[in-house]
Amino acid sequence: MAANEKLREKISHLPHKPGIYKFFDDEGIIYVGKAIDIRKRVSSYFNRSAQHNKKTLKLISKIKDIEFTIVDTEADAFLLENNLIKQYQPKYNILLKDGKTYPYICIVNERFPRVISTRNKINDGSRYFGPYPSGTTMHIVLDLIRTLYPLRTCTYNLSPENIAAGKFKVCLEYHIGNCKGPCEDLIDETTYNQYISQIRNILSGNLSIAKTYFKERMAEAAADYQYEQAHRYKQKLDLLEDYQAKSTVVSNTLSNIDVFTITSNEKCAFVNYLKVMNGSIIQTQSLELHKKLDESDEELLATVIVQLRHEFESTSREIITNIELTLPLDNITITQPQIGDKRKLLNLSLKNAMYLRKEREGRQEQNKSLGEQREIRVLETLKKDLRLTELPRQIECFDNSNFQGDNPVASMVCFKNGKPSKKDYRHFHIKSVVGPNDFESMYEVVTRRYKRLLDENQPLPQLIIIDGGKGQLSFAVKALKDLDLWGKIAIVGIAKRLEEIFYPGDKLPLYIDKKSESLKLIQRLRNEAHRFAITFHRSRRDAGTLKTELTDVKGIGPTTADALLQKYRSVKKLKELTLAELTEEVGQRKAHILFDYFHGASGAAS
């Protein structure tokens, strides 16, 4: 409560101005948000009458601190939020990428520039085009360029001095016609740079200049009766025409447009992005977003637009979308066309988004079906290996835990259809057994578990697994007999040393193949029960130690000890608190008592 009051006090001093806010837990930033009014937006999270969903409530429960940054406009807040999300990657914000880099085509800043592929952008004056959504897409464009233009691929320093000194010789690329030999000054720099200029236009989506160039060269060669050369220019022109034909989807009058469409289900959203230049799609990207806080399509698409436009270095002033959207960005027009070429473009993008959704949902259903088939197969194997009369769809496993007889506890874990059903897990405080007696403890917890199921008319498991040897198993069997459940539920024990399976009344254990899926399932149950019991036992033991030490302090009662125990879990953490922090937790009088106890009278004085 003290921490909550501390947050409310901080919220009351937040400004009524646009900006961003950051939520922190004990480890760092967990959420970044934007707001026209910071105080009003942050206050809405802590409004008791607000109807928050479960995910948002979980976020709120984690908040330990709040920071904010004021900006001039809503647009500034929008962009700053995007930058901070990419920088810190908070747990509860939508993140578009998992750190992978996308390929670019780079015109290297050098004399007789090379055209290469790269995934790393360097601020060295080179010109980068992209990024491309995949290496395959990028190589299609790169191969087209290398087919059209004879460019060098060597990394020599082709300075005028080096060329004049004859430091280099032409290589195989020259002899097979892929390079014009700038290393031996066999092509002038002006002609080479004409190629580079046309390549820049092609990569920017403007094919008309390159097409005009090849048409003119073809006509000149034909006029000079150089028909083979004219044919080669014709082939290059055909390549450009073919490339443009494959990418042109609407009228050539459409240029420099971004298209974003979104479709979603309860858990995910699917977005498609098309970049259009001169009627051609020059970039495309489809992606799946996993919702963090049940965000609306509008929130998700706004985030995607800012991040993808930055990633793809878009400068377009027109954005087409399939939903109503308001972005606080200057000089940007957002439309939802209903007819014409822009509508056709929108439909194409939406078709891509819908295809991604259908493919992912189909894959999820297939994986779910395959998973269910595998689970049934494992249960069938277990039924066969243990010679059961029915399929063990519900299996329950018990384990005891104590430390030198202190704090005896037990656990029960439940697997349904081969998977953990954690809502059915149970902890047990041993009530009727004094001292370290695993046999009697097992009898108690098995009795309590199934008496309750019988009293509440709940379904019984088809298989019980006891983590232990013949002793624990025999007492569990006794419990079933006393409840008149003997013969109605199959029960076995598993001994840790050799993974032996024991049946009631059978002196010889069963050994299941170590590689068997059924043995692995039994081991999973046993290990989970052990983990669950040990965790519970450790928390009780630590709690008992802390509570005992605190209640030994004169003036600190059990209520105060319980409250501190629930929050801090250890004396070490309490010792790290300042006097002011202790005062905030338990009041001035008790804070001084605890501080003196932990640090001595001198510590209090200082």
Side-chain angles (χ1 to χ4, degrees):
M1 181 61 71
N4 199 24
E5 290 300 325
K6 192 174 180 181
L7 285 177
R8 292 185 182 279
E9 173 69 17
K10 197 161 200 173
I11 292 169
S12 68
H13 292 92
L14 293 176
H16 289 290
K17 293 182 178 295
I20 62 94
Y21 54 91
K22 294 177 282 187
F23 290 154
F24 294 78
D25 65 4
D26 291 329
E27 297 179 0
I29 296 176
I30 57 174
Y31 186 76
V32 175
K34 62 183 179 299
I36 300 175
D37 184 317
I38 296 175
R39 187 193 299 183
K40 187 175 180 181
R41 180 69 186 101
V42 174
S43 297
S44 69
Y45 287 95
F46 298 89
N47 187 343
R48 291 188 177 91
S49 62
Q51 299 296 315
H52 295 304
N53 57 57
K54 290 182 180 179
K55 293 179 180 179
T56 304
L57 290 173
K58 186 174 181 181
L59 163 65
I60 294 169
S61 71
K62 302 285 186 182
I63 300 171
K64 297 296 177 64
D65 198 8
I66 301 169
E67 291 183 2
F68 67 90
T69 301
I70 297 172
V71 295
D72 292 330
T73 66
E74 185 184 357
D76 293 335
F78 195 74
L79 295 173
L80 178 57
E81 176 199 37
N82 173 255
N83 291 334
L84 291 176
I85 289 172
K86 286 191 293 186
Q87 179 180 352
Y88 294 108
Q89 300 192 350
K91 179 178 179 180
Y92 290 93
N93 282 104
I94 288 291
L95 305 173
L96 296 195
K97 298 192 174 62
D98 55 3
K100 77 173 182 178
T101 56
Y102 288 86
Y104 293 82
I105 291 177
C106 172
I107 299 178
V108 183
N109 182 26
E110 59 191 6
R111 192 165 183 254
F112 297 104
R114 289 169 294 135
V115 179
I116 63 172
S117 64
T118 183
R119 289 182 182 268
N120 299 309
K121 293 179 67 177
I122 303 172
N123 189 20
D124 62 352
S126 298
R127 182 75 185 274
Y128 294 87
F129 296 87
Y132 292 88
S134 71
T136 301
T137 304
M138 183 270 300
H139 281 295
I140 289 172
V141 180
L142 194 58
D143 289 344
L144 170 69
I145 289 169
R146 288 174 174 168
T147 303
L148 294 174
Y149 300 99
L151 304 175
R152 75 176 179 116
T153 57
C154 64
T155 58
Y156 297 142
N157 177 10
L158 300 186
S159 66
E161 296 79 15
N162 287 343
I163 294 174
K167 287 189 175 183
F168 314 115
K169 295 295 181 183
V170 293
C171 62
L172 180 62
E173 289 293 304
Y174 170 80
H175 293 294
I176 63 177
N178 290 340
C179 177
K180 290 294 187 181
C183 59
E184 289 192 31
D185 205 21
L186 299 179
I187 180 174
D188 64 276
E189 192 172 358
T190 301
T191 302
Y192 193 97
N193 286 336
Q194 279 185 330
Y195 297 161
I196 296 299
S197 176
Q198 292 172 33
I199 290 169
R200 279 200 296 266
N201 279 289
I202 292 173
L203 293 175
S204 299
N206 183 6
L207 277 64
S208 59
I209 294 176
K211 287 165 66 177
T212 300
Y213 172 82
F214 288 123
K215 284 179 181 177
E216 290 174 351
R217 299 290 84 74
M218 180 178 66
E220 290 173 1
D224 290 340
Y225 305 104
Q226 298 177 14
Y227 297 114
E228 289 186 3
Q229 182 65 36
H231 180 66
R232 282 194 285 270
Y233 284 126
K234 175 67 166 57
Q235 287 178 318
K236 293 178 185 291
L237 185 60
D238 289 343
L239 280 172
L240 278 174
E241 296 281 4
D242 183 59
Y243 175 71
Q244 187 173 33
K246 288 179 178 178
S247 56
T248 299
V249 292
V250 287
S251 170
N252 285 334
T253 60
L254 297 182
S255 183
N256 205 10
I257 296 174
D258 286 339
V259 186
F260 291 92
T261 53
I262 185 170
T263 177
S264 66
N265 56 33
E266 291 182 0
K267 295 182 179 180
C268 300
F270 307 88
V271 175
N272 177 258
Y273 166 59
L274 301 178
K275 173 68 177 176
V276 180
M277 288 290 292
N278 299 315
S280 298
I281 298 173
I282 63 169
Q283 290 168 330
T284 178
Q285 174 75 316
S286 293
L287 53 90
E288 176 184 4
L289 304 174
H290 295 275
K291 297 180 180 179
K292 298 292 185 71
L293 300 173
D294 294 337
E295 296 88 348
S296 67
D297 284 359
E298 291 77 10
E299 292 175 289
L300 293 171
L301 193 57
T303 300
V304 170
I305 287 175
V306 174
Q307 293 200 33
L308 283 188
R309 278 173 60 89
H310 173 78
E311 188 74 33
F312 285 84
E313 301 178 357
S314 174
T315 59
S316 64
R317 297 300 180 187
E318 182 176 2
I319 298 174
I320 296 174
T321 71
N322 65 319
I323 61 172
E324 288 189 13
L325 191 67
T326 301
L327 287 180
L329 299 177
D330 297 332
N331 302 318
I332 298 292
T333 302
I334 302 175
T335 59
Q336 293 174 266
Q338 302 301 313
I339 58 174
D341 292 331
K342 290 183 179 180
R343 181 65 196 187
K344 293 177 184 177
L345 193 58
L346 182 67
N347 288 341
L348 178 65
S349 176
L350 186 58
K351 184 185 294 184
N352 278 276
M354 292 296 295
Y355 178 83
L356 178 64
R357 175 177 177 175
K358 184 178 179 181
E359 185 266 332
R360 293 295 167 85
E361 289 178 343
R363 188 189 303 172
Q364 289 170 3
E365 285 298 319
Q366 184 181 25
N367 291 339
K368 181 180 178 182
S369 177
L370 290 173
E372 290 173 350
Q373 291 175 23
R374 180 188 175 278
E375 290 154 9
I376 295 299
R377 187 187 71 244
V378 173
L379 295 180
E380 291 284 2
T381 304
L382 183 62
K383 176 185 174 184
K384 179 181 178 182
D385 286 345
L386 297 184
R387 303 189 294 274
L388 305 177
T389 57
E390 56 182 324
L391 197 66
R393 289 188 175 275
Q394 180 170 328
I395 308 172
E396 297 185 348
C397 182
F398 291 83
D399 185 29
N400 292 328
S401 177
N402 67 75
F403 179 72
Q404 297 178 349
D406 292 332
N407 298 309
V409 296
S411 72
M412 186 280 296
V413 299
C414 177
F415 277 33
K416 292 182 176 178
N417 292 322
K419 296 189 294 186
S421 177
K422 294 196 174 183
K423 68 183 180 65
D424 295 305
Y425 284 18
R426 296 293 183 268
H427 282 135
F428 298 91
H429 296 277
I430 304 301
K431 299 177 179 178
S432 63
V433 180
V434 178
N437 190 327
D438 285 344
F439 300 159
E440 291 290 351
S441 296
M442 187 62 70
Y443 175 84
E444 177 187 325
V445 297
V446 172
T447 300
R448 286 166 56 188
R449 169 62 177 169
Y450 297 113
K451 185 178 185 302
R452 180 161 189 169
L453 290 188
L454 291 171
D455 291 344
E456 296 178 355
N457 199 27
Q458 295 293 318
L460 297 169
Q462 290 79 42
L463 175 63
I464 298 171
I465 298 174
I466 302 300
D467 183 11
K470 296 178 182 178
Q472 285 97 327
L473 177 61
S474 63
F475 274 78
V477 168
K478 184 176 183 296
L480 293 182
K481 288 180 178 178
D482 291 346
L483 292 170
D484 195 27
L485 290 176
W486 176 242
K488 299 177 182 178
I489 308 175
I491 182 169
V492 297
I494 178 170
K496 296 181 179 67
R497 191 169 64 88
L498 297 174
E499 306 292 46
E500 301 164 317
I501 307 297
F502 288 98
Y503 287 95
D506 193 339
K507 294 182 180 180
L508 298 176
L510 171 69
Y511 294 96
I512 301 177
D513 186 342
K514 300 294 185 185
K515 297 180 180 179
S516 168
E517 290 181 316
S518 59
L519 178 60
K520 290 179 181 178
L521 177 58
I522 293 173
Q523 289 170 331
R524 279 186 64 203
L525 277 147
R526 188 268 312 283
N527 295 341
E528 180 71 350
H530 185 64
R531 179 200 64 78
F532 196 52
I534 288 294
T535 303
F536 181 45
H537 179 263
R538 187 177 294 123
S539 67
R540 280 202 67 204
R541 189 180 65 210
D542 293 346
T545 302
L546 176 58
K547 186 174 179 181
T548 299
E549 183 168 356
L550 290 180
T551 51
D552 284 344
V553 181
K554 188 176 180 179
I556 303 298
T559 303
T560 302
D562 283 338
L564 292 173
L565 158 66
Q566 185 174 0
K567 184 167 184 178
Y568 291 100
R569 312 301 297 176
S570 72
V571 172
K572 181 181 177 182
K573 289 185 178 179
L574 279 175
K575 287 181 178 178
E576 294 172 355
L577 298 181
T578 64
L579 181 60
E581 289 170 331
L582 281 170
T583 301
E584 188 175 344
E585 294 293 341
V586 297
Q588 188 174 16
R589 185 182 67 81
K590 292 181 180 179
H592 277 284
I593 292 172
L594 285 172
F595 199 80
D596 289 347
Y597 176 76
F598 292 140
H599 305 286
S602 60
S606 62

